[in-house]
Amino acid sequence: MINTERLADTFSSLVRIDSLSRQEKEVSKVLQGILSDLGAEIFIDDAGDKLDGNAGNLVARFKGMVNVEPLMLCGHMDTVEPGKGIDPYLDNGIFRSTGDTILGADDKSALAVIIEVMRVIRENRLPHGPIEVVFTVCEEAGLLGAKHMDLSLIESKMGYILDATDTGGIFTRAPFASRFNITFNGKSAHSGASPEKGVSAIVLASKMISALPWGRIDHETTCNVGKIEGGVATNIIPETAVLLGEVRSHSREKMEDIIQAIRTTSERVVAEARETSPDEKFPTVDIHFQEDFPGTNIPDDHPEIGRAHV
């Protein structure tokens, strides 16, 4: 019953609409029109205002003809860079971009699939319960649209999110994740004339990094320093060094252990440096951790897992 030609046309038209994170307004308008024509009641929340974007999350409700619990079908509207002026073409049954941009299949392919599903349901008058189509903003920026979703608009207790390359698989587990921002504060001085008067924040940061394990910690835990900023010139002892990174684990306890190790090691490095510091006020360290997203672990025997395989 799936109209593959129509599905391809829908996908092709959607990827041509620029929709970088926080710039989803135009694709949202198109999607609202399509879903409204299919009989949906449309709602837009205020996530865009909260995220300094030009569009909120889109919720489209389809009334059911069967008295069952509502079902959610979800995807996201935004894409990553470089995502402006996408020009897709079909090459032996595979969509590709011209090479100057991404294709945008993440996640425009999901949007096209969900639209085709609703079209097939309507055209064939297939019996169904209430369906809520949810298209979020700012997913690529850290699931920000979902984090700022107005949940009062959602009646579904379960649903499926289409956002993976394995069309035959189901992801039922996701790790806990926390981001960190650590700033080492040293003391600047001329590196040639009076280096002994300075405290290098970069050296402190390097000592912390070298004292801890990074990368894959074990089969379910990873840790990474992804960005380092510090210093202003080669002849100046750097007074600040900023480390940005993340910790992930399928075990909250293991993630918390890594977080504590990073915190303790950073404080120890600073305390040791203070013993020989030329200024009793330095060095210092500012440590901030923020949960990025909670872990997910859906049992293999959950009824919705079985339903998805049918």
Side-chain angles (χ1 to χ4, degrees):
M1 290 186 286
I2 295 295
N3 186 326
T4 55
E5 183 176 349
R6 181 175 62 188
L7 175 59
D9 289 342
T10 301
F11 171 74
S12 182
S13 64
L14 290 177
V15 296
R16 284 186 165 88
I17 305 173
D18 297 347
S19 60
L20 297 174
S21 298
R22 295 185 173 85
Q23 300 175 33
E24 302 94 343
K25 183 178 180 179
E26 294 306 314
V27 74
S28 178
K29 285 183 178 180
V30 171
L31 292 167
Q32 290 175 53
I34 294 173
L35 295 167
S36 180
D37 288 345
L38 288 171
E41 185 179 10
I42 304 296
F43 301 88
I44 305 294
D45 72 6
D46 61 353
D49 295 333
K50 295 177 179 177
L51 299 171
D52 195 26
N54 64 9
N57 297 305
L58 190 166
V59 178
R61 292 182 188 164
F62 291 88
K63 294 181 180 179
M65 58 188 75
V66 179
N67 186 22
V68 295
E69 290 292 319
L71 172 73
M72 179 183 72
L73 298 176
C74 181
H76 64 87
M77 296 183 283
D78 62 317
T79 62
V80 297
E81 298 266 17
K84 291 186 176 181
I86 297 173
D87 184 18
Y89 67 94
L90 200 57
D91 178 20
N92 292 323
I94 299 176
F95 274 103
R96 306 182 187 278
S97 72
T98 55
D100 299 326
T101 68
I102 61 166
L103 174 61
D106 179 9
D107 198 28
K108 299 288 179 66
S109 59
L111 308 187
V113 166
I114 292 172
I115 288 170
E116 180 62 22
V117 166
M118 298 314 304
R119 283 172 169 163
V120 169
I121 288 175
R122 181 180 181 183
E123 290 169 350
N124 294 275
R125 298 181 180 179
L126 301 177
H128 64 87
I131 297 175
E132 292 180 327
V133 172
V134 179
F135 293 153
T136 63
V137 296
C138 286
E139 190 272 351
E140 299 290 1
L143 306 178
L144 297 183
K147 290 176 180 177
H148 291 83
M149 169 71 70
D150 182 354
L151 296 178
S152 68
L153 298 176
I154 308 297
E155 297 179 354
S156 306
K157 302 301 181 184
M158 63 79 55
Y160 300 101
I161 300 172
L162 282 67
D163 192 5
T165 57
D166 183 3
T167 57
I170 303 173
F171 287 90
T172 58
R173 293 170 177 80
F176 297 90
S178 182
R179 297 186 183 186
F180 61 78
N181 183 322
I182 301 173
T183 301
F184 287 93
N185 305 292
K187 185 175 177 61
S188 63
H190 194 284
S191 64
S194 54
E196 64 278 352
K197 293 182 180 180
V199 179
S200 173
I202 289 180
V203 170
L204 296 175
S206 65
K207 287 183 178 180
M208 185 276 278
I209 293 173
S210 63
L212 291 169
W214 303 94
R216 180 161 302 282
I217 308 302
D218 61 29
H219 70 286
E220 58 183 2
T221 308
T222 61
C223 187
N224 181 57
V225 176
K227 190 173 183 180
I228 302 176
E229 297 179 343
V232 294
T234 60
N235 64 340
I236 300 176
I237 302 295
E239 66 178 5
T240 61
V242 180
L243 308 182
L244 304 179
E246 65 168 32
V247 185
R248 300 189 185 200
S249 182
H250 287 275
S251 164
R252 175 176 284 278
E253 182 179 0
K254 289 181 179 180
M255 183 183 74
E256 294 294 344
D257 287 344
I258 297 294
I259 289 173
Q260 185 57 42
I262 292 173
R263 187 183 301 276
T264 300
T265 303
S266 299
E267 293 172 346
R268 176 180 59 78
V269 166
V270 165
E272 291 174 350
R274 275 203 172 203
E275 295 178 0
T276 58
S277 174
D279 188 330
E280 63 181 11
K281 296 180 181 179
F282 297 98
T284 62
V285 63
D286 300 316
I287 306 170
H288 299 283
F289 282 88
Q290 180 176 1
E291 183 173 274
D292 200 9
F293 43 85
T296 299
N297 190 338
I298 302 173
D300 293 340
D301 60 354
H302 193 283
E304 301 310 333
I305 303 301
R307 181 182 299 181
H309 282 297
V310 172

